[in-house]
């Protein structure tokens, strides 16, 4: 699996799944499977804990290095990693996508139906539709995924982990939860 630094110019042709992918639950896996169906799958994710920069300070399920392990298991070809900080937080939706499209030859973009991005979450699926159409790039929007009647979400995964419901968390993650290190 190739690691690409967001903004680093490469010549790879990739289908990029967009999201944070901090816990790799069933919904994230659906995005990855769609990206794989469309070509060489890449995942955009952050390389650091973003919670200090957001109002939510509840941490994450998997660290970046743990995500890399799981993404490789899922057959992802490349990871485009970005460091989230105050400057990144202010990035406009257009600037975010322009930089992403510099990082690889983007052949397709995959996201969830409720995906937002850019400063203040100003970018959304409608914005992506217009942007991808201008670039001649396929956009695939994946519907919400449900596990045991509930939407697969990072919030749900954090609730299950916090309450110690590991078997149910494993169902949501479609794999066994793990931790690397002490």
């Amino acid at each position: 699996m190739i690691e690409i630094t967001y903004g680093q110019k490469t010549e790879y042709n990739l289908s990029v799944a967009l999201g944070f992918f901090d816990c790799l639950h069933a919904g994230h896996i659906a995005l990855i499977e769609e990206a794989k169906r469309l070509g060489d799958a890449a995942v955009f994710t952050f390389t650091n804990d973003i919670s200090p920069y957001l109002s939510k300070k509840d941490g994450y399920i998997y660290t970046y290095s743990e995500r890399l392990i799981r993404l490789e298991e899922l057959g992802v070809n490349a990871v485009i990693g970005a460091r989230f900080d105050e400057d990144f937080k202010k990035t406009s939706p257009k600037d975010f996508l322009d930089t992403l499209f510099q990082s690889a030859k983007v052949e397709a973009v995959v996201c969830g139906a409720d995906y937002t991005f850019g400063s203040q979450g100003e970018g959304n699926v409608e914005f992506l539709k217009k942007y991808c159409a201008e670039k001649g790039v396929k956009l695939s929007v994946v519907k919400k995924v449900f596990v045991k009647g509930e939407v697969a979400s990072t919030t749900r995964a954090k609730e299950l982990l916090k309450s110690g419901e590991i078997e149910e968390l494993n169902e949501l993650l479609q794999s066994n939860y793990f931790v690397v290190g002490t």
Side-chain angles (χ1 to χ4, degrees), residues 52-124:
Y53 303 98
L54 305 174
S55 58
K56 290 184 178 181
K57 301 205 183 295
D58 54 356
Y60 45 84
I61 301 291
Y62 289 133
T63 64
Y64 178 69
S65 60
E66 290 164 345
R67 276 180 267 150
L68 292 178
I69 292 167
R70 186 71 181 111
L71 289 167
E72 190 157 26
E73 289 174 356
L74 291 167
V76 171
N77 300 91
V79 173
I80 301 171
R83 179 157 183 78
F84 194 93
D85 57 20
E86 287 298 331
D87 288 335
F88 192 94
K89 186 177 175 180
K90 297 174 187 169
T91 304
S92 73
K94 183 181 182 315
D95 288 346
F96 167 72
L97 292 172
D98 287 346
T99 303
L100 178 68
F101 275 57
Q102 281 177 252
S103 300
K105 293 179 180 173
V106 179
E107 295 179 334
V109 173
V110 178
C111 69
D114 60 354
Y115 179 66
T116 60
F117 61 100
S119 179
Q120 306 294 315
E122 294 169 350
N124 56 26

Side-chain angles (χ1 to χ4, degrees), residues 98-171:
D98 287 346
T99 303
L100 178 68
F101 275 57
Q102 281 177 252
S103 300
K105 293 179 180 173
V106 179
E107 295 179 334
V109 173
V110 178
C111 69
D114 60 354
Y115 179 66
T116 60
F117 61 100
S119 179
Q120 306 294 315
E122 294 169 350
N124 56 26
V125 172
E126 289 306 313
F127 187 97
L128 266 173
K129 284 179 184 175
K130 291 175 189 166
Y131 188 92
C132 288
E134 288 172 10
K135 298 283 186 183
V137 169
K138 179 171 178 47
L139 172 66
S140 181
V141 179
V142 177
K143 294 179 183 176
K144 290 183 180 185
V145 172
F146 292 83
V147 175
K148 290 189 153 185
E150 292 193 48
V151 174
S153 71
T154 300
T155 301
R156 180 73 181 133
K158 289 177 182 179
E159 290 169 356
L160 293 169
L161 183 59
K162 188 175 182 179
S163 65
E165 298 175 63
I166 302 303
E167 287 182 19
E168 199 167 330
L169 174 63
N170 290 345
E171 287 181 46

Side-chain angles (χ1 to χ4, degrees), residues 24-39:
L24 296 160
H25 56 63
H28 293 139
I29 294 168
L31 297 176
I32 291 167
E33 291 303 316
E34 177 66 2
K36 287 168 50 178
R37 188 184 71 76
L38 296 171

